[in-house]
Amino acid sequence: PTRKDVLERLRPGDVLTHCYRAFPNSLLRADGAVREEAQMARERGVIFDIGHGAGSFGFHACRGLLAAGFPPDVISSDVHVLNIDGPAFDLLTTLSKFLVLGVDMNALIAAVTVAPARAIGRPTLGTLAVGAEGDATIVDVEEGRFAFYDTQGERLDADRRFRLRGMVLGGKWWPPMTR
């Protein structure tokens, strides 16, 4: 089915992944505007997820959709055996691409925490509130010279990226320290 056929059938709370896909089925029109069926789906409450993957994320579509005021609701990496060695690599690499493209830090954090938790109906995930799961990822922004790629092979040169410092799972540092 075409992107239009799919978008017209989605209901509030449904998730469309691979939303920053390049041609074919891009949400971005040739004139830089967002396709009407995508705007209408968002207005109905459809959730738009990146789902970077091995073939479904293009910088051209990403830049255009961001410029047109169509940010992702959820940022996911869609890491699997075909892209673990690139171009998706991991969620921090996917997040770093959006950081370099100028997406606001608060919006980035929400798109990988509270937004996906809300999308799957798990309000105790994606928050550090009392009574929540007690999971956290600790990152910093590393400065240097880095190159990122989309699924079409386009290169994005960057001066910063997210770097993992550690994780807390179930309220405990991971990996657990042995004595």
Side-chain angles (χ1 to χ4, degrees):
T2 66
R3 179 71 44 129
K4 183 176 181 179
D5 291 337
V6 171
L7 284 168
E8 289 175 347
R9 287 169 173 77
L10 296 177
R11 301 166 300 198
D14 286 348
V15 178
L16 178 81
T17 195
H18 308 308
C19 69
Y20 279 22
R21 180 183 177 94
F23 179 83
N25 285 329
S26 176
L27 300 182
L28 187 66
R29 294 187 337 206
D31 66 0
V34 178
R35 295 191 186 278
E36 182 180 2
E37 60 270 17
Q39 291 284 19
M40 291 172 56
R42 175 161 272 171
E43 290 169 11
R44 282 196 314 275
V46 172
I47 298 162
F48 289 84
D49 169 42
I50 295 306
H52 189 308
S56 301
F57 177 81
F59 287 132
H60 175 76
C62 182
R63 285 184 188 102
L65 289 164
L66 290 173
F70 200 88
D73 298 306
V74 173
I75 297 176
S76 67
S77 61
D78 190 20
V79 171
H80 52 74
V81 71
L82 299 177
N83 67 21
I84 191 86
D85 294 324
F89 294 103
D90 53 47
L91 186 55
L92 288 182
T93 299
T94 301
L95 270 178
S96 294
K97 293 173 184 182
F98 284 89
L99 176 70
V100 172
L101 290 171
V103 175
D104 172 74
M105 183 74 74
N106 289 330
L108 284 177
I109 301 307
V112 296
T113 57
V114 296
R118 191 177 314 125
I120 64 170
R122 298 282 307 273
T124 62
L125 297 176
T127 179
L128 296 177
V130 173
E133 302 285 325
D135 296 346
T137 303
I138 298 93
V139 299
D140 62 15
V141 177
E142 178 181 20
E143 295 184 6
R145 298 173 65 110
F146 312 102
F148 298 110
Y149 295 88
D150 68 7
T151 60
Q152 285 74 52
E154 182 182 340
R155 179 183 169 132
L156 173 66
D157 291 317
D159 61 357
R160 62 196 180 281
R161 70 177 178 188
F162 286 109
R163 181 177 63 151
L164 180 66
R165 300 294 291 179
M167 295 185 291
V168 177
L169 297 174
K172 295 185 175 28
W173 186 254
W174 186 89
M177 294 177 59
T178 58
R179 293 184 183 210

